[in-house]
Amino acid sequence: MKIYLDVCCLNRPFDNQRQLRIRLEAEAVKTILTLCEQDPWQLLNSQAIEFEIGNTTDEVKRTQLQFMVAKAVSIIRLNPTIITRTKFFETAGLTTFDAMHLACAETQADIFLTVDDKFLKKARTLTALTVNN
């Protein structure tokens, strides 16, 4: 099973853990990353993830995020098909990064994960997708 975690997911372990939901999501992300080191789970990376992580201003956090995605089995490279799909998602109201992550995930992922409520709400309105809770 190929799993794509957007950067919101990858950042969840660094968020304030006082809220139960955030703490549980952080633990889930850590567990998923651990399971991705075992068969049959496989972590996917993308140029979009690498670019977004590269823009992280906190050097320690950026290094830890890079370490997390270094375990990925492959890096999804941006191509004309992904760019076209990104533009479609943007016209539907997604932010550029959300649209790009979704377009990348569509190409190879069996599962796309996010903890971004605004993104999920907007993605549910897209007729080209089936979004489950």
Side-chain angles (χ1 to χ4, degrees), residues 53-117:
I53 288 173
N55 286 331
T56 302
T57 55
D58 182 322
E59 188 176 332
V60 173
K61 186 175 176 181
R62 183 176 59 247
T63 300
Q64 290 176 331
L65 289 166
Q66 289 168 334
F67 178 75
M68 290 169 143
V69 297
K71 300 171 185 177
V73 295
S74 67
I75 299 172
I76 300 168
R77 304 268 175 219
L78 300 181
N79 60 46
T81 302
I82 290 173
I83 299 302
T84 299
R85 195 67 169 152
T86 297
K87 289 177 184 177
F88 167 77
F89 291 139
E90 285 179 304
T91 61
L94 295 180
T95 66
T96 300
F97 274 117
D98 289 343
M100 196 170 294
H101 289 307
L102 189 55
C104 286
E106 273 189 329
T107 65
Q108 295 182 32
D110 298 308
I111 297 174
F112 173 81
L113 298 174
T114 187
V115 295
D116 185 335
D117 289 338

Side-chain angles (χ1 to χ4, degrees), residues 122-133:
K122 187 48 114 175
R124 283 189 182 102
T125 66
L126 300 174
T127 57
L129 293 175
T130 301
V131 179
N132 297 317
N133 282 334

